[in-house]
Amino acid sequence: MSGYLTDIEGIKIGHAQDYEAGTGCTVILCPKGAIGGVDVRGGAPGTRETDLMAPENLVEKVNAIYLSGGSAFGLDGASGVMQYLSENGIGFDTGAVKVPIVPAAVIFDLDVGNPIKRPDFNMGYEACINATEKDFDLGNVGAGTGATVGKYFGNEFSMKGGLGTSLIQIGELKVGALAVVNALGDVIDPETGNILAGALNKTKTDFINTVNAIRSGLILGNNPSIANTTIGAVATNARLSKAAAHKVASMAHDGLARAIRPVHTMFDGDTVFCLSIGDIKAEPSIVGILAAEAMAEAIISGIKNAEPMYGRISFKSFK
């Protein structure tokens, strides 16, 4: 795994977080605008402005993607992103004023730190100020601050998740991904099939293997944690139509399926955005295939960069 989403020209990434509260937000800025697509697969999503992105609707380009902790409360931070963009004259020109287009998605992390303190207007604005075109921090930062994984048997046996990124380049074509990994399921290395982080046994010395446990029928009647959701975005310098961007976002979910088991449950709000920001000619199916690979790698990146925190061990600390 190598590369960052910011290796695609025209994209900036910024984080803001409150470590005491155990939450934060991340913004993907596209100052010149990007053709956007989205696909929501989880049964418990928390989103904003996703209907606007439908191919049949008016607005073609988005100006930022906002990813956050704080569950539905965290959507408030998107207003801070709008304010920052408005101050810089960026947005959809209505004639009267430019209205920034900022689709958003959130994870549930209210059970990690202080549930009363959530990402808000000021934190969203701060993330924009912190945005960079260079390599950005990974792991326990931004929207990944309070992320955890492997919660089917309860938070007590979960591990630390985080924020990751990746980039694939073939010739001039670039396809990158950013993922905030906060899944109900276990995170799997697609190359080996080994669990990297997930639900732990009672002694926290090994993995339970959530899918195998479900197949065995031993956990029928169990009440899984509702504190989940993996969200993220893929971006490319290929020129895509709005409909093609939606298809690429849909294909990128295959990356979630390869790296997380189980995924897209009623207890997850899994959402993936797609941003097309460039003029490279590429067949949308090729971009989608690479997007799925990049998303899987970004998920692994988020797990491997996570540090132990909030009473959860991480990939780095697991022995």
Side-chain angles (χ1 to χ4, degrees), residues 131-153:
T132 178
E133 297 176 344
K134 301 179 181 179
D135 294 354
F136 50 93
D137 291 336
L138 304 173
N140 301 0
V141 293
T145 300
T148 51
V149 299
K151 291 170 278 188
Y152 196 90
F153 302 95

Side-chain angles (χ1 to χ4, degrees), residues 22 108-113 140 145-151 154-161 182 197-198 200 204 225 227-228 306-318:
F108 189 107
D109 57 4
L110 299 178
D111 55 351
V112 173
N140 301 0
T145 300
T148 51
V149 299
K151 291 170 278 188
N155 289 322
E156 178 184 356
F157 304 104
S158 66
M159 289 179 63
K160 190 71 183 67
N182 187 59
L200 298 166
K204 298 183 179 181
S225 167
N228 312 295
E307 301 286 349
M309 191 176 282
Y310 307 116
R312 274 81 167 183
I313 62 176
S314 71
F315 172 84
K316 289 184 177 182
S317 64
F318 185 61

Side-chain angles (χ1 to χ4, degrees), residues 23-66:
T23 193
C25 65
T26 296
V27 63
I28 305 171
L29 294 179
C30 312
K32 295 182 179 180
I35 299 295
V38 65
D39 191 357
V40 180
R41 295 279 181 96
T47 58
R48 168 174 164 163
E49 295 278 44
T50 51
D51 286 347
L52 170 149
M53 302 177 76
E56 68 271 19
N57 289 336
L58 173 65
V59 176
E60 284 286 323
K61 293 186 176 182
V62 303
N63 307 116
I65 297 294
Y66 171 79

Side-chain angles (χ1 to χ4, degrees), residues 210-233:
T210 301
V211 170
N212 282 355
I214 293 171
R215 288 173 63 93
S216 74
L218 296 177
I219 45 69
L220 294 178
N222 193 57
N223 293 317
S225 167
I226 62 170
N228 312 295
T229 295
T230 296
I231 55 177

Side-chain angles (χ1 to χ4, degrees), residues 166-294:
S166 71
L167 183 96
I168 297 172
Q169 182 168 359
I170 300 176
E172 292 183 309
L173 176 64
K174 295 180 181 179
V175 181
L178 182 147
V180 181
V181 192
N182 187 59
L184 174 73
D186 304 327
V187 176
I188 311 295
D189 183 341
E191 298 296 325
T192 65
N194 295 331
I195 299 175
L196 301 178
L200 298 166
N201 62 16
K202 291 184 178 181
T203 60
K204 298 183 179 181
T205 56
D206 201 358
F207 299 112
I208 294 176
N209 193 318
T210 301
V211 170
N212 282 355
I214 293 171
R215 288 173 63 93
S216 74
L218 296 177
I219 45 69
L220 294 178
N222 193 57
N223 293 317
S225 167
I226 62 170
N228 312 295
T229 295
T230 296
I231 55 177
V234 294
T236 180
N237 63 352
R239 177 182 291 179
L240 301 176
S241 67
K242 204 174 176 187
H246 271 68
K247 183 59 178 177
V248 170
S250 175
M251 294 179 71
H253 271 282
D254 290 349
L256 272 71
R258 291 169 192 164
I260 301 171
R261 291 188 219 152
V263 72
H264 302 146
T265 73
M266 292 297 291
F267 304 98
D268 292 286
D270 303 324
T271 301
V272 175
F273 297 96
C274 173
L275 299 171
S276 168
I277 183 166
D279 293 314
I280 302 300
K281 292 183 179 180
E283 212 287 318
S285 292
I286 297 299
V287 178
I289 291 167
L290 296 178
E293 295 294 317

